[in-house]
Amino acid sequence: MKNDNIALQAKVFLYHLNNANDENGIRKDESWTLRQVSEEVKTEIERNYSPTVSTKVDPKVMEEFSTSVMLNLKAQPKVKVSSLFMDVLPGAEYIIAFSTDRIRR
């Protein structure tokens, strides 16, 4: 049951990412970057980039959650990501998606 919950939460995260992609008119030449981050880094990214999509993840299941998100991204070409690899960072509490092309001014 635990794996089903992780897969469901990953799909919910991607649902929000797809919506942000559509609502903000992300062009085909722009891409999203996904990272595992701490709360402080998340706040800094949100201050510097717009739009962002993030979700809090239990550190115990961070690796499984990240893998599930990346596998689902491979299956759907709608959202372009800069890399289908995400570093596993100790102490990360959030997964955040942002476009480095959309710097907040």
Side-chain angles (χ1 to χ4, degrees), residues 1-12:
M1 196 65 150
K2 182 179 170 185
N3 288 340
D4 291 340
N5 190 29
I6 291 170
L8 176 63
Q9 292 302 317
K11 287 180 182 180
V12 170

Side-chain angles (χ1 to χ4, degrees), residues 71-86:
L71 287 174
N72 283 312
L73 275 172
K74 284 181 187 178
Q76 56 102 18
K78 186 176 180 180
V79 175
K80 182 180 173 188
V81 293
S82 57
S83 172
L84 288 174
F85 175 76
M86 193 180 321

Side-chain angles (χ1 to χ4, degrees), residues 1 11 15 22 27-28 32 37 39 43 51 59 66 69 74 83-85 95-96 100 102:
M1 196 65 150
K11 287 180 182 180
Y15 173 80
D22 291 343
R27 297 182 311 265
K28 291 183 186 227
W32 291 88
V37 295
E39 188 167 356
T43 303
S66 299
V69 167
K74 284 181 187 178
S83 172
L84 288 174
F85 175 76
I95 288 190
I96 189 166
T100 55
R102 299 277 179 119

